[in-house]
Amino acid sequence: MTYLVACLAVVGAVQTVLLWRTTRRLRLVEHLHDRVGRCTRGLGLLVETTEAGFTVLGAELAKTALRAARRPSSASATRRVARAAGAGKRVPEIAAEERMSEGEVRLRLSMTSTGTPGMPAHDEGTHRGPVCA
């Protein structure tokens, strides 16, 4: 009988240790579950923010494409630039009005066959590009 009580005591002690270890593991699993939940919420926020950013970017690209599609022809822009220069406007003013760079304004002015008052004439000595003989 004492052996039976001793065996039952040992089995009870082993079960207590196993129950204690299982409880500890379950707490770790709960902690891990909380961490995964926080990461999931963070990832959801990141995805929503990214989607909103791409939506805004797509809308801006669509606006830019629409503005570029409505740009007038090159010949009419060159005539407007020449007319503005003939009226005495300076290159930076023309560039701001036409929404183009100052270099493009100068290029368009050099493309016009008539000389524009107030603008320097094309001088072969200032040519810096490749020379074709």
Side-chain angles (χ1 to χ4, degrees):
M1 184 79 164
T2 53
Y3 290 116
L4 182 64
V5 171
C7 284
L8 287 175
V10 169
V11 168
V14 169
Q15 286 181 345
T16 303
V17 169
L18 290 175
L19 183 63
W20 178 73
R21 288 184 66 193
T22 305
T23 306
R24 268 186 64 200
R25 300 272 174 157
L26 283 175
R27 283 190 206 131
L28 290 174
V29 169
E30 287 176 11
H31 178 69
L32 183 63
H33 181 62
D34 291 341
R35 288 182 66 186
V36 169
R38 273 187 263 133
C39 288
T40 302
R41 288 189 301 272
L43 185 61
L45 180 63
L46 180 63
V47 167
E48 288 174 12
T49 305
T50 304
E51 286 177 355
F54 282 140
T55 302
V56 169
L57 181 64
E60 285 298 316
L61 287 175
K63 285 180 189 176
T64 303
L66 186 60
R67 272 188 244 131
R70 285 190 269 167
R71 194 170 194 180
S73 70
S74 178
S76 65
T78 302
R79 283 192 299 271
R80 282 194 316 273
V81 166
R83 215 175 305 125
K89 290 189 178 180
R90 299 179 50 78
V91 172
E93 295 169 346
I94 299 170
E97 286 178 6
E98 293 293 325
R99 293 184 179 172
M100 58 179 68
S101 68
E102 291 180 20
E104 186 176 356
V105 170
R106 287 187 181 96
L107 175 67
R108 289 181 187 276
L109 288 173
S110 71
M111 290 177 4
T112 58
S113 59
T114 60
T116 307
M119 299 307 278
H122 180 68
D123 185 12
E124 292 298 323
T126 61
H127 180 71
R128 292 194 174 106
V131 177
C132 299

